[in-house]
Amino acid sequence: NERLNARAHVGGRDKLRELQSDFADLVAEPYGLERGRERSVARHRTIKEYYAEAQKKPDISPERLKEAIPERETGSVLKRKESDEVYAERVADAMMEVTANNLGALQKRINDLEAENLQLAADRDAGFYLANTMSRAAMVAASPERDREFANWQKAHEMA
């Protein structure tokens, strides 16, 4: 079928799961990495999808949380009924995904507010600098010495 097949390559799903756990114990753990959740339903998202999700406003309403809870697999002829542990893990994964999405949106808002705060501080500082400069210019312009210099300059230009 030109598809990856755990049964054909490593002896089945359980063997593959065991192989991944052993790999995590031997290789990842010494570097402080953790094995991913077993039987996770997490799916890869593109960067574009991630940022589109992060742009959304947080929604942790009870209705949204209810929508996120997956249906329990009841089993069929080919599939066994889902155990309580597996279902609880899938529900926890779904809640974590909702929380992570909301966290992304909140972090984006925090970053936007921090950038706005920096811009406001820069604008305030520029305003203080301008006001200080204008104040000094006004003081210099109003000084008697400045008036004498200007009068002398006018006289010099009138003579020329």
Side-chain angles (χ1 to χ4, degrees):
N1 284 348
E2 295 182 12
R3 292 175 30 180
L4 291 175
N5 185 327
R7 192 175 326 132
H9 294 286
V10 291
R13 286 183 177 177
D14 292 333
K15 290 278 188 185
L16 179 59
R17 213 173 281 122
E18 185 180 325
L19 180 68
Q20 290 171 335
S21 295
D22 291 344
F23 180 82
D25 291 342
L26 295 172
V27 178
E29 198 172 285
Y31 295 100
L33 302 174
E34 295 178 9
R35 185 201 190 292
R37 289 181 180 238
E38 290 188 39
R39 296 180 178 93
S40 173
V41 293
R43 297 289 175 247
H44 177 77
R45 292 185 295 173
T46 65
I47 291 174
K48 186 176 182 179
E49 291 169 337
Y50 173 81
Y51 281 110
E53 195 67 35
Q55 296 288 337
K56 290 182 182 176
K57 294 192 180 209
D59 181 11
I60 52 174
S61 63
E63 294 81 22
R64 172 64 184 113
L65 294 176
K66 283 179 188 175
E67 290 171 10
I69 296 174
E71 293 290 322
R72 187 169 191 155
E73 293 176 4
T74 57
S76 66
V77 176
L78 300 174
K79 220 173 177 182
R80 283 188 238 149
K81 182 180 174 186
E82 186 175 37
S83 70
D84 290 342
E85 293 82 24
V86 171
Y87 179 65
E89 192 170 307
R90 285 195 324 113
V91 169
D93 285 345
M95 294 298 108
M96 290 294 287
E97 185 175 342
V98 169
T99 304
N101 289 341
N102 287 327
L103 181 62
L106 289 172
Q107 188 61 51
K108 168 92 174 70
R109 182 72 178 130
I110 288 169
N111 292 343
D112 290 347
L113 289 172
E114 286 174 346
E116 186 179 338
N117 191 27
L118 288 173
Q119 184 60 51
L120 288 172
D123 291 347
R124 181 200 62 215
D125 292 345
F128 285 151
Y129 177 78
L130 182 61
N132 193 14
T133 303
M134 296 296 283
S135 173
R136 285 184 182 168
M139 286 172 41
V140 168
S143 72
E145 185 179 303
R146 175 75 177 124
D147 290 343
R148 273 194 306 274
E149 287 176 8
F150 183 69
N152 290 340
W153 179 83
Q154 270 186 326
K155 285 181 189 175
H157 280 3
E158 286 173 4
M159 294 181 160

